[in-house]
Amino acid sequence: MSSSSWITTLSCSGSVVQSSGGNSAIQWLGFILLSPCPQRALLSSVNVLFLVVMLVFAIQKLYSRFTSNRHSGSEFNHPLIDNKRFLVKTNLWFKLSLIVTALISVSSIVLCILTFARHSEFPWKTVDGLYWLFQAITHTVIAVLIVHEMRFKAVTHPLTLRIYWSVEFVVLALFFVSGLVRLISFQETGSNLRLDDIGSVILFPLSIFLLIVAIKGSTGVQVLEEMDNDNIYETVLDKSNVTGYASASFISIAFWMWLNPLLKKGSVSPLKIEDVPSLSPEHKAEVMSRLFQKNWPKPEENSQHPVLKTLVRCFRKELLFTASLALIRLSVIYVGPILIQRFVDFTSGKGTSPNEGYYLVIILLVAKFVEVLSSHQFNFHTQKLGMLIRSTLITSLYKKGLRLSGSARQAHGVGQIVNYMAVDAQQLSDMMLQLHFLWLMPMQLIVALVILYQSLGASTVAAFVGLILVVIFVLIRTKKNNAYQFSIMMFRDLRMKATNEMLNYMRVIKFQAWEEQFNKRIQSFRETEFHWLSRFMYSISANMIVLWSTPALIATITFGSAILFGVPLSVGTVFTTTSLLRLLQDPIRTFPQAMISLSQAIISLERMDTFMTSKELVDKSVERVVGCEGDIAVEVKDGAFSWDDESGEGVVKKLNFEIKKGEIAAVVGTVGSGKSSLLAAILGEMAKLSGKIRVCGSTAYVAQTSWIQNGTIQENILFGSPMSRERYKEAIRVCCLEKDLEMMDYGDQTEIGERGINLSGGQKQRIQLARAVYQDCDIYLLDDVFSAVDAHTGSEIFKECVRGALREKTVVLVTHQVDFLHNVDQIFVMRDGMIVQSGKYNTILESGVDFKALVTAHDASMELVDVETKTENKDPPTMSPQKSFTEENGENNSQEANGGSSKLIKDEERETGKVSLNVYKLYATESFGWWGVVAVFFLSITWQGTLMASDYWLAYETSAKHATSFNPSFFIEIYAFIGIASFVLVIFRSLLVTLMGLNTCQIFFRDILRGILHAPMSFFDTTPSGRILTRASNDQLNVDILIPFFMSLTLAMFVSLLSVIIITCQYAWPTIILVIPLGWLNIWYRGYYLATSREITRLDGITKAPVIHHFSESITGVMTIRCFRKQEFFCEENVKRVNANIRMDFHNNASNEWLGFRLELLGSFLLCTSALFMIVLPSSIIKPENVGLSLSYGLSLNSVLYWAIYMSCFLENKMVSVERMKQFSVIPSEAEWRKKDFLPPLNWPTHGNVELKNVQVRYRPDTPLVLKGITLSIHGGEKIGVVGRTGGGKSTLIQVLFRLVEPSGGKIIIDGIDISALGLHDLRSRFGIIPQEPVLFEGTVRSNIDPTEQYSDDEIWKSLERCQLKDVVSAKPEKLDSAVVDNGDNWSVGQRQLLCLGRVMLKKSRLLFMDEATASVDSHTDGVIQKIIREDFAACTIISIAHRIPTVMDCDRVLVIDAGKAKEFDKPSHLLERPSLFGSLVQEYANRSTEL
């Protein structure tokens, strides 16, 4: 027999050699080495031998570990993560070895499946199939081994593996030679082997590479020992609680077994934050941040897209790995549909061997297993990649935020910067899951069409055209959806901005009774948002209608064209087609979304590029010298500085001055003259246009608008520095905080709310000052620290702190208090950004106009005091210590004494355990009651019924017994008719669900907005605005879009699951025995998983808010952070919070895949069992057409089962939003706004008589009294000054008159009407008030001065003229429409105060309240304001709280409130004639200058 016949024969028997005669040894050698069957046997033996050696090795390892554990427990004594840190790196050599091995493994799996699926001779098929199977198993084991080499830091490959690779190369060389010969010479006879030969030719070059690896021996793993502290893997959290993933074995990672301990813990009791382990060291935020920094393009690279470039450099390995997982899934996903024809053939008796059925079931099982494993590993790893990208971006954006220049910070805005972190980083993270769908969808489509073409020939073109049309439709709709979504987001942002502003200034809004204006404003944004939301939801419905109708629609077109082309339709053909079309539903759905996500990600990347390349502060603009010689502390020569990096217009200019060490320099000037900017220039916060500035030593800064962090008072004062008891006590003493701390039940452990909401203005200012004093710097820059404190506290601080604790420091003090100026070393007088005078008090008083004007105004007010104090007090009574905490906000913080906690801000309530059915009922019946629910169920079940009917019709018509009587036109008419019916039903169902969802979300929105607007002030003092904003943003988004969409989807999935189980069990009826235990197992898995997943999702929400909050807090206080050089400390805090949040994300994603893998595996097992029964049961019981029908449904069983359970879990997690929104729509509300049956007269109050009868106030039922029975009477037109120590209850008195706090006893009667009988708006809208903090809202000058739009332009201009702002406003090009930005930041504090005064003037109220109204303005402006008030409000009753004694000297009577009691109430002159508390306050103020 010639060699050619050996090369082409498929025989495994040696008889071919004997029959050929000739030299038998050579013949035998030729046969063994060149004939396909012996070749395969040879390599399979080598493979089996290698696998046995590996198995023995593994057993030996396990045994030795077991015995050593028993004897010494040594393994358990080893720490989980080695204390000695090793940095393991892999080079290209390692990666190539792994990739090549994986390629051989994957191609062997594919060839194995194709071999078993092919029609060929029986023994040969078994030999060839088993050969490829062993090849696949061996190379999979080798791939696992290579991965383990990295984990165990192996530098060389084991000898066994190197020998195997060498032998394999020799055998594959023979395969290559004989394969090449067959392909070239024996076209006809070698046709059976063609596929194998192509495979062998491709695999040979790969084996050459592996031979080189075997000879070289190196694994490509490099082990670097890391000793230094700056270790990239240095962990922040306790090493004992590291995630199981960090040290899990390959098997454990593959099947998520490392997650079992956490799930077990979660199933026993609700998880707490500390129960969730920390991330692997290599996934921590600090490591990611350093990686990002390391890969950031160098300036010379001149990169256009630096963020993208850096991310690709950081994560390209992970991207390639996830792509390879996607490819593996793609290679096995179509095995099921291909096998339908084979199953049908086998059951109809056309099988090639009796055992073929079993092979088919095994192939199906293996393919399903690989599909399930690869798809869930793909999901897990893409989500992990997304999570790492998010943590990398947040930490990098945060670091950048702390380095931004002033103008860059203004250009982006705090809200926008927080958005980059909260929205854009999240978008890029979500994009990872969809990135691969962009190239997978076209590939899936091509493969499906190729398979279809084999069965249906030319009619595939019709299917192709249909599918392309569907893709185009979905793409257009999705593009539209994104435009809608963009509009929704835009208006949601506006609504959120308005809501945020409303929450920040709720006190002012309630004082002015403006709730309805804000309600209208928020509602108008919501209306537009809802308009776009409706379009978006209906558009999504259109998409879903088309996608759900695609299989039936395309099938109708395809079968119609097949009949037209005369292609015979058999059972196998039609069900292969329907199952392929079902498979394509998924990629068609995800592809357009992936396209859109890509475009969104591109926009996000562009936004981040802009931010990350924004101008940073130039550190070198200020020359900082530490420990320098000489006696100059601050020196500026020809300095000109601007807030804008680009423009040449200096805000402060022509600066020439020097301040010596240990001096106190005061900066004075009128409102808006550039005093605060001067301090910013010294700090290096402004762009230097010219000149030089030199600062000697470290700097401390106290801002004019206090910046307080959410935390305890102690944390605020320490500000990240270690505790030194002595220094700490001293800082508290000199800042006069001792009394305040005594008054608080928890002292310095009292928690401060957001933005210091539960502290008075004075307390915030003094805590800031204490923070600066504690830091012990060389130079102190104090911006108007005395504006918010009373006269006594002011002089105390000046004496004890500025002249005491800081006597050896250099102090630059911006102030309006002229009386301190005698005691400073030099004074700088500013006007228009320039220093116009400088020197000692007496020198500059003579030399110029500016300073003289300030002093004259001050002296005029002091004369009033001086006249009165001539009658010296002999023995004035003393003030009792303060008894109350916080006045400005009234939130009295004397918390529950009965062992409560120091938290003012209550911890967010989190419901634990299951979401109750009541919540679902509440949501589902909100819009149309139970009728809506019944209608949706009815439509869903009928629609699924029509889908099943169409498949029954297919099975019935294409069965063998109907082949003779088959009527093509009748068949296709009925099929099309059923398709149309299902299309109509799905339209009705989708529209009804959308309508219900839209109605419900509007009802929820109105309820929560009403609840918040009607809530009493105490609610806002104890609830952080972030918590309310989460309800208005995230929870509202869930109720708007996600809940209706997923509720509809979950229902559809369960109905569809029911249909699959019915059809599968109907024919393979023994499967029913399995359905019940498997069903129970599914439900058990769902419950077991949900217990943990639900809590992790909640914890994720709870840990996400602090990241955002800390981010925005830091950006707001960036000047303070930079001045104290605390960037490092704040970056660490950011990293800590990011780690806490992403570990929730990581374990949440892992638990999803843990569940998915197990559920899909159960589904696959059920499918394979039913397939087995179909083979085993005789053909008399089970018909071939029913096998086709059953399998076409059964193939989707695993995914339908998983999605039904997963969607229901996802929905349950989102339903928490309904629960949370309900909480806020039932807040106990304050009294009604208007009482129809009791309206005050239109001109009330006519006279302004105020009478208080034994008024008592407490903030919460279980707290002590703040006002302890005040009785007094004020006559109409009187001017009353209210004075007293900080925290004595002055502001509380005003709050009770406005009923922001309801009196707990006594009566208040104004012009004969008891105010408790009136509606709140009727009461509040009749009074005028100028609050302590001048508040402006985003908008225009007009909208700020007249929010209710009641007055004409003339009236507005008149009031602006009276309050000294006419010139400023008319100088602006837009006049009354000049912009007022968020917080009124583009107006100085003094100008804001004047605008608030203008508001009151328009109102022309008979009763005016002023709370520290002129605290932020200089004496000159103060004098002007007092004059305006005297003239404009001559006939009004004025009640004014004051810290500056001169402002109350010309009042008709003065009320002294101390410790909640009205201690004195009389004319100022009468009080000064006798020993009085008022007298002692006046004395202090008058003596302040001289005594200091």
Side-chain angles (χ1 to χ4, degrees), residues 548-557 581 947 950 975 978-980 982:
W548 274 332
S549 313
T550 297
L553 189 78
I554 306 287
T556 311
I557 298 170
L581 292 173
L947 293 182
S950 67
Y975 191 72
I978 300 172
I980 290 164
S982 82

Side-chain angles (χ1 to χ4, degrees), residues 1-7 20 27:
M1 189 178 187
S2 67
S3 64
S4 69
S5 53
W6 297 332
I7 286 176
S20 63
Q27 293 279 7

Side-chain angles (χ1 to χ4, degrees), residues 733-794:
R733 186 186 68 76
V734 300
C735 296
C736 305
L737 280 166
E738 289 172 313
K739 289 238 182 77
D740 299 83
L741 295 181
E742 280 165 27
M743 298 322 303
M744 307 177 198
D745 289 359
Y746 299 97
D748 60 0
Q749 293 307 311
T750 303
E751 190 180 330
I752 303 174
E754 280 180 86
R755 303 180 314 282
I757 191 163
N758 52 322
L759 297 177
S760 73
Q763 285 165 329
K764 282 193 267 195
Q765 199 60 283
R766 283 175 297 151
I767 288 173
Q768 269 210 116
L769 187 58
R771 171 170 69 202
V773 173
Y774 184 79
Q775 300 306 314
D776 193 25
C777 301
D778 302 323
I779 299 167
Y780 281 77
L781 306 173
L782 312 178
D783 196 349
D784 200 9
V785 284
F786 303 112
S787 64
V789 293
D790 58 58
H792 169 71
T793 314

Side-chain angles (χ1 to χ4, degrees), residues 1020-1036:
F1020 298 97
D1021 291 331
T1022 54
T1023 311
S1025 59
R1027 201 173 293 169
I1028 305 174
L1029 288 174
T1030 314
R1031 305 291 196 282
S1033 57
N1034 289 8
D1035 293 328
Q1036 185 68 52

Side-chain angles (χ1 to χ4, degrees), residues 106-116 132 195-196 199-200 203:
V106 171
S107 32
S108 304
I109 292 171
V110 173
L111 286 164
C112 173
I113 290 166
L114 290 172
T115 304
F116 279 119
W132 286 116
L195 189 61
D196 288 43
S200 304
L203 289 183

